[in-house]
Amino acid sequence: MKTELYTKAQIDEAAKQIQLGELVSFPTETVYGLGADATNDTAVQKVYQAKGRPSDNPLIVHVADVATVEKYAEPLSDAAKKLIKQFWPGPLTLIFNLKPDALSTHVTGGLTTAAFRMPNNQATLDLIKTAGIPLVGPSANTSGKPSPTLAEHVYHDLNGKIAGILDDGATQLGVESTVLDMSTEVPTVLRPGAVSIEQLEAIIGNVVSNKHHVGLKEVPKAPGMKYKHYAPNAQVYIVDQPSEFPEALKWAGQQPFLVGLMVTDELAANLTLPANVELYSLGTDVNSASHLLFAALRHFDENPQVKAILTEAFKPEGIGAAYMNRLDKSAGQRHFGDDR
């Protein structure tokens, strides 16, 4: 099919495609999502087909109001209401127990829970309201690849596979939302994001923060917990300390292929790069690095001569926890020096 590029003035056209059961990518403050009618089982199945996504990987339901969540979920706790008041619309996804048979198993991954989010992007909120239905919205990329932060990234991966892309420019944050499971006795962070552990605990008290992976036979309750994610074709290596970069670049210079380098400007200024190393700036600090991470990985993915990528690490605190979570998965947990 032909993939249309919609502007914000064409939201009615994009919403019509959603109502017809087609797929339309939408912008959020985190990354671009792949939208489909969450109540249309056939449309939801198209999402898995377009992305090449495993069928047991649940989808986040995007809403424009709390009433929609209450339609499908069990009654919300006081803690959940406090979080919604503080962080919605915004980069926080909440997992709730569902009313019986409320949503398709293709949305939930066969679980009795579902994840909900209200994105902080007016174009997408308008799209949801105009369509009149909640939208599933996994990242709009080929499954396992770096998430899209520009409409161009979506077009690169899904052109001809989806009806359209609602273009609202670059996303603001660049990493996906924090996922907090509210169906457990103690709220549990299943995926770190822009809303930090400290911010959550300031609102509702203690949360569990170390459950980011599941085993091969377990069904994940949130995206990104089981399968390799965010990975370019080249092998990514995490360089844990700035002092390790001279040795890492020495190794890079000995390779018979191009090596990508992703570091902040301050670190780059103190490095001598071999001729076969290409630099991609991560900006000034962990905030800009988080914003640019997926764009940088995609940049190197476009050059088949790049066979390895060396990437700067940050302390896993605040937004750094989200950055390191995504980087760790893109690298398959490989750090420079692990096999040397």
Side-chain angles (χ1 to χ4, degrees):
M1 66 174 66
K2 181 180 180 181
T3 298
E4 299 286 348
L5 286 174
Y6 297 115
T7 67
K8 287 186 284 187
Q10 298 172 297
I11 285 176
D12 286 352
E13 296 176 43
K16 183 64 175 178
Q17 290 300 315
I18 292 288
Q19 292 170 336
L20 290 172
E22 299 298 339
L23 310 185
V24 175
S25 175
F26 57 80
T28 76
E29 77 280 26
T30 58
V31 301
Y32 273 75
L34 182 54
D37 179 355
T39 68
N40 181 331
D41 204 40
T42 301
V44 173
Q45 290 182 65
K46 289 181 181 179
V47 171
Y48 288 97
Q49 294 164 2
K51 283 177 59 68
R53 182 185 178 96
S55 60
D56 68 345
N57 206 5
L59 302 172
I60 294 173
V61 180
H62 291 67
V63 301
D65 54 55
V66 179
T68 303
V69 179
E70 294 173 330
K71 178 180 178 181
Y72 299 102
E74 294 287 354
L76 304 181
S77 66
D78 289 341
K81 292 176 181 177
K82 290 178 182 178
L83 291 170
I84 288 171
K85 182 178 179 180
Q86 181 69 26
F87 296 112
W88 280 15
L92 177 63
T93 294
L94 298 172
I95 294 177
F96 299 120
N97 287 310
L98 292 173
K99 296 174 182 177
D101 302 317
L103 288 170
S104 163
T105 57
H106 289 103
V107 175
T108 66
L111 300 171
T112 58
T113 57
F116 295 88
R117 180 163 107 82
M118 186 188 297
N120 190 16
N121 180 281
Q122 192 58 52
T124 288
L125 292 176
D126 290 344
L127 175 66
I128 297 171
K129 292 174 184 176
T130 303
I133 40 183
L135 305 182
V136 295
S139 56
N141 58 302
T142 301
S143 187
K145 290 298 182 180
S147 298
T149 56
L150 293 168
E152 290 90 336
H153 296 161
V154 182
Y155 195 82
H156 177 273
D157 281 18
L158 300 178
N159 179 30
K161 298 180 180 180
I162 65 176
I165 303 166
L166 178 57
D167 188 356
D168 193 28
T171 62
Q172 296 170 306
L173 298 176
V175 292
E176 298 89 347
S177 60
T178 302
V179 177
L180 182 66
D181 188 356
M182 297 298 291
S183 71
T184 53
E185 183 175 350
V186 179
T188 302
V189 175
L190 302 185
R191 183 178 72 186
V195 177
S196 69
I197 302 297
E198 294 76 17
Q199 288 175 295
L200 295 171
E201 292 188 329
I203 303 299
I204 61 170
N206 184 50
V207 301
V208 176
S209 60
N210 59 355
K211 182 65 174 177
H212 301 161
H213 302 276
V214 297
L216 289 176
K217 295 184 179 181
E218 294 181 78
V219 177
K221 295 180 77 172
M225 295 184 69
K226 183 175 181 180
Y227 300 99
K228 189 175 181 181
H229 271 61
Y230 322 118
N233 292 322
Q235 175 61 52
V236 175
Y237 296 97
I238 302 169
V239 182
D240 294 310
Q241 300 295 331
S243 60
E244 297 178 27
F245 270 98
E247 179 64 25
L249 289 172
K250 179 181 178 181
W251 168 84
Q254 296 169 347
Q255 304 312 307
F257 48 73
L258 287 180
V259 177
L261 177 66
M262 296 164 49
V263 296
T264 50
D265 295 337
E266 182 179 0
L267 181 54
N270 296 306
L271 299 175
T272 301
L273 307 188
N276 67 324
V277 172
E278 179 185 342
L279 172 66
Y280 191 105
S281 171
L282 292 178
T284 57
D285 56 21
V286 65
N287 293 298
S288 60
S290 297
H291 176 71
L292 294 168
L293 175 61
F294 291 142
L297 292 172
R298 281 184 168 270
H299 169 79
F300 288 122
D301 218 20
E302 292 177 1
N303 187 344
Q305 297 182 53
V306 175
K307 303 296 184 183
I309 303 171
L310 300 171
T311 310
E312 183 176 357
F314 290 94
K315 291 181 180 179
E317 302 169 351
I319 191 66
Y323 172 90
M324 290 305 300
N325 173 269
R326 308 313 191 271
L327 182 58
D328 191 50
K329 290 177 180 177
S330 72
Q333 301 180 336
R334 295 188 71 177
H335 295 246
F336 180 77
D338 282 352
D339 51 359
R340 293 179 178 81

